[in-house]
Amino acid sequence: MGQRVAMTRSSAGTRIAYAVTGSGPPLVYVSGWLSHLELSWALPAERAFYEALADGRTLIRYDKPGCGLSDRAADSAYTMVEELAALRAVVAANRLDRFDLMGVSLGAAVAAAWAADQPESVSRLVLYGGWARGRDVAAPELQRHVIGLVRQHWGLASDLLADLFAPDADAGTRTAFTRYQRESASAGTACAMLALAYQVDVGELLARIGAPTLVVHRDGDRAAPVAEGRRLADGIAGARFETVPGRSHLPYIGDVAPLTSAVRRFLGLPGRHRGGAPTLTSRQREVAALIAQGCTNREIGERLGIAERSAEAHVERIRYRMDFRSRAQIAAWYVATAGGN
């Protein structure tokens, strides 16, 4: 299953990157934390999660302003207005009149606000790991500490957040995700997004949501207590609330099958989905390892005793087989699958 990346512009003129995967009725996905369409596609765990959602649906994801392939925003206040403008631009670019909508983490608040304001556009609403009021997610002193650490030591903070968001990640995925955060956005953008997460309040909007809604939350989520998910569901008339086992806030880390099965059933799809991640030959893995070390094609050829042109051909075959567009994706994939070494 491949993804097609394209660009559109928000009403503010900001370029927004979006990716389309799969086929079928549209499912628009609003991420919570920092994203990078290319690097996320290179992380096997994250890619498998998106492919599970896209089996029977046209999954549409996007990088928020200041993240990934989208235009870098000024390191200033990040608002719900910007969030909704980016979502509106993606919906318009794909000419969507009505669609299923899924929001994750902070994206749950964004999706809820959209469903309240644009009820005619949402067929079904899925909210995972979310909350209605950011001030209830963590104590004020903890919020200030996290934001301050990100601002002053983005490298250290990205490692801390990997532990908070993904305690069940294996060593390779954790290392890749730690790097992925820093490559997705600047420290300033990360601080601004965290500030919005702690300030957001969509409590008064929930009663206006009329779409059938599933609120799903991991029972041991370390970043967003399960009680916040229950409060979110309580505010939406007729919402179904489900808990699934796990500690990780990131939906694609840990035991993912219960989560994807719950979402797929709610969307009217079979609980199970087709799997099958792409793999590389032993030679291609050798090439990928050298790319992760920063080697050029010439250096790869010298290390493996092959011609530079042959090394280039191996790189192109890897990109084709894995549906990658860049060497950075190959490097991220290798780090995630090689135990973080």
Side-chain angles (χ1 to χ4, degrees):
M1 189 178 291
Q3 72 169 1
R4 176 180 62 85
V5 176
M7 292 283 182
T8 187
R9 287 189 181 275
S10 71
S11 56
T14 304
R15 287 201 324 157
I16 304 297
Y18 65 91
V20 180
T21 306
S23 62
L27 169 61
V28 178
Y29 182 92
V30 186
S31 65
W33 186 225
L34 309 175
S35 67
H36 193 301
L37 294 176
E38 286 191 349
L39 295 183
S40 63
W41 197 242
L43 297 186
E46 190 167 1
R47 177 171 175 168
F49 175 69
Y50 296 140
E51 289 183 334
L53 297 179
D55 185 5
R57 286 290 182 272
T58 298
L59 178 67
I60 303 168
R61 304 180 294 124
Y62 62 97
D63 283 335
K64 299 179 181 185
C67 293
L69 304 180
S70 292
D71 278 351
R72 296 281 169 168
D75 293 339
S76 58
Y78 193 82
T79 67
M80 184 64 78
V81 172
E82 288 182 273
E83 287 270 7
L84 292 171
L87 175 54
R88 186 176 299 108
V90 172
V91 168
N94 288 276
R95 301 179 180 178
L96 303 179
D97 295 319
R98 194 167 175 83
F99 50 90
D100 294 331
L101 179 62
M102 180 173 180
V104 170
S105 188
L106 172 59
V110 178
W114 177 280
D117 291 339
Q118 309 285 337
E120 72 289 345
S121 69
V122 181
S123 298
R124 282 165 291 203
L125 178 65
V126 179
L127 307 176
Y128 164 77
W131 55 88
R133 285 176 286 272
R135 65 177 180 270
D136 298 330
V137 175
E141 58 271 18
L142 179 59
Q143 296 179 21
R144 290 192 295 269
H145 172 70
V146 172
I147 292 175
L149 184 62
V150 171
R151 181 178 294 111
Q152 296 176 22
H153 304 287
W154 187 203
L156 177 62
S158 62
D159 188 60
L160 171 71
L161 291 170
D163 183 60
L164 175 64
F165 293 154
D168 300 312
D170 58 59
T173 299
R174 179 194 169 100
T175 299
F177 177 69
T178 298
R179 297 178 182 178
Y180 163 91
Q181 292 179 96
R182 296 195 298 270
E183 294 179 26
S184 295
S186 66
T189 296
C191 284
M193 292 186 71
L194 279 171
L196 176 61
Y198 292 139
Q199 294 165 5
V200 70
D201 188 341
V202 295
E204 294 185 358
L205 300 178
L206 301 180
R208 290 162 44 190
I209 296 175
T213 301
L214 169 67
V215 178
V216 60
H217 214 103
R218 284 196 170 123
D219 54 15
D221 191 326
R222 292 176 57 183
V226 67
E228 297 308 315
R230 185 171 283 107
R231 288 191 189 121
L232 191 60
D234 288 345
I236 303 172
R240 181 193 307 176
F241 180 68
E242 290 189 30
T243 59
V244 292
R247 302 179 300 159
S248 291
H249 185 60
L250 298 180
Y252 52 87
I253 298 298
D255 187 2
V256 180
L259 173 58
T260 55
S261 293
V263 173
R264 288 178 58 81
R265 283 194 301 269
F266 179 73
L267 296 178
L269 297 167
R272 300 189 67 177
H273 61 90
R274 295 168 293 178
T279 58
L280 298 183
T281 65
S282 57
R283 173 61 90 183
Q284 288 168 343
R285 283 192 65 89
E286 289 179 315
V287 172
L290 294 173
I291 290 174
Q293 294 175 28
C295 292
T296 64
N297 289 343
R298 175 178 294 179
E299 291 167 336
I300 291 172
E302 292 172 350
R303 296 277 290 273
L304 298 180
I306 60 178
E308 180 179 354
R309 183 172 297 179
S310 295
E312 181 180 358
H314 280 302
V315 174
E316 290 307 306
R317 290 191 194 101
I318 293 171
R319 290 176 58 186
Y320 177 79
R321 182 186 287 256
M322 304 299 289
D323 187 44
F324 289 163
R325 303 200 312 173
S326 69
R327 297 172 77 93
Q329 286 179 290
I330 298 173
W333 174 88
Y334 182 79
V335 169
T337 59
N341 297 320

